[in-house]
């Protein structure tokens, strides 16, 4: 049996002051990666509506305490409202992060993205789960590594990874396990050095930081583990490496995760598992409700589940990489 996550904690997991909005714009994507917790693909059509987009722009304008607007998907760039949200957030003085798969720049109609990102000083957090072609293509599809390298070189030409206002970060996540020989993500600082050395020597590519992210057993990762009859043992592995020192830095504590329907969650994983954030009265929240109440800080306790062990194992895992 897995120990319920909340029982590992000395006190309830509570929100701090909210300063990050992470918005999932929808499930449309040009890729269908085998580890995708969102289960995004070219066949998905769910995306933001004009009404929710306008509510989000109002929210961004109304609350100066929002410092970061973090746009994800699917491929966020393919979903409705992407550019208006970037422009509104930058106009309001927020940092904008786009979680990009890099290959989107080579899809018809999206070749202007690197220019758009540079003009708006968008921080790019790009998935490159390994610096070896075979490993990347196994996880993300044939030819993805080659396109990713071309995209990174293109971004470097624009000044990304070199100009301090044009930040380019990469994301590593491990191969999905096929046996009970599980391992935690490698130490982030050392892996970053290895990535930087390899990418400069082989491709003359420069980037700012590498984030190591644990495979959380949600979405396609969960389906894979269940198919291999590894789901339960993987959770036990994560639980056995629980690190209480990660709790203070968990991303769910300072952010609201918002889906394309305007519903609010504590994190993207809860969003995918349909575990909504709730007020102290047990009410579910939406963007329109936040606007009506006039506050972002109305969630006291964070909703937890057994997959929370993924974010708290070893050095921890967050949208900004290792926690400790």
């Amino acid at each position: 049996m897995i120990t319920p996550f909340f029982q590992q904690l000395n006190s309830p997991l509570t929100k701090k002051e909210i300063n990050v909005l992470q918005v999932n714009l929808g499930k449309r994507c040009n890729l269908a990666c085998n580890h995708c917790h969102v289960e995004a693909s070219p066949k998905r059509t769910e995306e933001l509506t004009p009404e929710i987009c306008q509510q989000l722009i109002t929210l961004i304008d109304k609350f100066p305490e929002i410092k970061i607007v973090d746009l994800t998907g699917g491929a966020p760039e393919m979903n409705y409202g992407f550019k208006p949200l970037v422009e509104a957030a930058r106009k309001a003085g927020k940092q904008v992060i786009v979680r990009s798969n890099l290959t989107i720049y080579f899809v018809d109609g999206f070749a202007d993205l690197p220019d758009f990102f540079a003009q708006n000083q968008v921080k790019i957090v790009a998935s490159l789960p390994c610096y070896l072609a075979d490993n990347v293509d196994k996880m993300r599809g044939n030819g993805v590594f080659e396109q990713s390298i071309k995209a990174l070189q293109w971004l470097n030409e624009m000044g990304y990874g070199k100009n301090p206002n044009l930040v380019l970060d990469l994301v590593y996540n491990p191969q999905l396990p096929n046996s009970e020989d599980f391992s935690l993500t490698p130490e982030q600082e050392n892996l970053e050095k290895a990535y930087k050395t390899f990418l400069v020597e082989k491709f003359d590519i420069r980037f700012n930081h590498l984030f190591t992210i644990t495979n959380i057993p949600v979405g396609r990762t969960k389906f894979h583990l269940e198919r291999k009859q590894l789901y339960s043992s993987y959770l036990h592995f994560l639980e056995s490496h629980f690190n209480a020192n990660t709790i203070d830095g968990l991303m769910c504590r300072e952010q609201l995760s918002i889906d394309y329907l305007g519903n609010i969650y504590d994190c993207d994983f809860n969003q995918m598992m349909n575990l909504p954030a709730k007020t102290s009265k047990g009410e579910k929240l939406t963007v329109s409700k936040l606007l009506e109440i006039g506050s972002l800080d109305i969630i006291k306790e964070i909703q937890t589940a057994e997959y929370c062990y993924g974010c708290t194992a070893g050095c921890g895992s967050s949208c900004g990489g290792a926690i400790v």
Side-chain angles (χ1 to χ4, degrees), residues 6 37 91 294:
F6 70 88
H37 69 277
K91 190 177 172 189

Side-chain angles (χ1 to χ4, degrees), residues 212-256:
T212 56
I213 294 185
T214 301
N215 287 320
I216 308 295
V218 166
R220 287 199 192 114
T221 297
K222 183 183 181 190
F223 298 146
H224 171 88
L225 292 165
E226 286 174 338
R227 267 200 314 274
K228 301 283 183 182
Q229 298 182 314
L230 294 170
Y231 178 71
S232 177
S233 50
Y234 184 64
L235 276 175
H236 276 290
F237 168 77
L238 295 174
E239 183 191 354
S240 71
H241 289 87
F242 172 75
N243 180 357
N245 294 327
T246 60
I247 298 297
D248 194 50
L250 289 173
M251 60 187 176
C252 54
R253 303 196 69 182
E254 296 179 348
Q255 77 166 23
L256 297 178

Side-chain angles (χ1 to χ4, degrees), residues 281-309:
K281 293 177 182 172
E283 298 164 327
K284 293 178 187 176
L285 285 168
T286 60
V287 175
S288 61
K289 189 85 173 161
L290 286 183
L291 289 169
E292 188 188 312
I293 294 167
S295 171
L296 298 176
D297 297 308
I298 49 182
I299 301 162
K300 295 290 178 269
E301 199 171 320
I302 292 163
Q303 303 295 308
T304 62
E306 54 191 11
Y307 47 80
C308 297
Y309 284 117

Side-chain angles (χ1 to χ4, degrees), residues 15-23 59-60 63-70 89 92-97 248-258 266 290 295-299:
K15 286 284 194 194
K16 301 178 183 180
E17 199 169 281
I18 298 300
N19 57 42
V20 180
L21 283 190
Q22 187 174 70
V23 185
L59 196 73
I60 288 163
F63 294 103
E65 59 265 44
I66 297 168
K67 304 296 182 213
I68 298 171
V69 176
D70 184 347
K94 320 294 186 190
Q95 181 186 52
V96 174
I97 297 173
D248 194 50
L250 289 173
M251 60 187 176
C252 54
R253 303 196 69 182
E254 296 179 348
Q255 77 166 23
L256 297 178
S257 171
I258 301 171
D266 293 308
L290 286 183
S295 171
L296 298 176
D297 297 308
I298 49 182
I299 301 162

Side-chain angles (χ1 to χ4, degrees), residues 42-100:
K43 293 178 181 173
R44 302 298 291 261
T45 57
E46 306 95 316
E47 65 179 337
L48 200 67
T49 63
E51 180 192 11
I52 303 300
C53 183
Q54 191 50 56
Q55 288 177 10
L56 286 166
I57 289 170
T58 305
L59 196 73
I60 288 163
D61 287 339
K62 186 170 181 174
F63 294 103
E65 59 265 44
I66 297 168
K67 304 296 182 213
I68 298 171
V69 176
D70 184 347
L71 301 175
T72 182
E77 306 98 325
M78 285 186 90
N79 289 276
Y80 180 86
F82 175 73
K83 285 184 176 176
L85 283 170
V86 170
E87 287 162 348
R90 291 301 293 142
K91 190 177 172 189
K94 320 294 186 190
Q95 181 186 52
V96 174
I97 297 173
V98 59
R99 298 195 177 265
S100 182

